[in-house]
Amino acid sequence: MDIKLINIGFGNIVSANRVIAIVSPESAPIKRIISDARERGQLVDATYGRRTRAVIITDSGHVILSAIQPETVAHRFVSNKEVDAKV
């Protein structure tokens, strides 16, 4: 199994194999997921003090906050898969 990594902004990288969802932080259920992860100690804030624009949920239950748009993260995710398919 190859390890595929995705840049989520400001030099932070996430394992693409562990990502379940990339969502916007605007809705109440996502805000609840963020607060629950904070209470469990499974929240990773990779925004560097900027506004949260994407929430990445992993299969381990960790929740990662990113300051780049969900569409940008998803595009990087898809681009990474296309490059691997060509190899």
Side-chain angles (χ1 to χ4, degrees):
M1 180 162 125
D2 293 331
I3 297 174
K4 296 170 185 70
L5 302 173
I6 298 186
N7 183 343
I8 60 165
F10 306 110
N12 298 299
I13 298 173
V14 173
S15 174
N17 301 334
R18 306 295 304 259
V19 173
I20 292 177
I22 304 166
V23 295
S24 174
E26 305 302 320
S27 70
I30 300 302
K31 289 178 182 177
R32 255 192 313 277
I33 288 172
I34 293 170
S35 66
D36 289 347
R38 182 175 284 122
E39 290 173 7
R40 290 190 320 263
Q42 292 186 315
L43 181 70
V44 179
D45 187 351
T47 61
Y48 281 77
R50 291 174 173 80
R51 183 174 151 231
T52 300
R53 294 189 176 160
V55 178
I56 301 165
I57 302 170
T58 65
D59 61 354
S60 64
H62 287 83
V63 176
I64 305 164
L65 306 179
S66 176
I68 61 175
Q69 294 288 341
E71 294 84 11
T72 305
V73 177
H75 178 69
R76 293 176 184 180
F77 190 81
V78 171
S79 296
N80 191 8
K81 285 190 175 196
E82 288 174 357
V83 168
D84 290 338
K86 291 179 184 177
V87 173

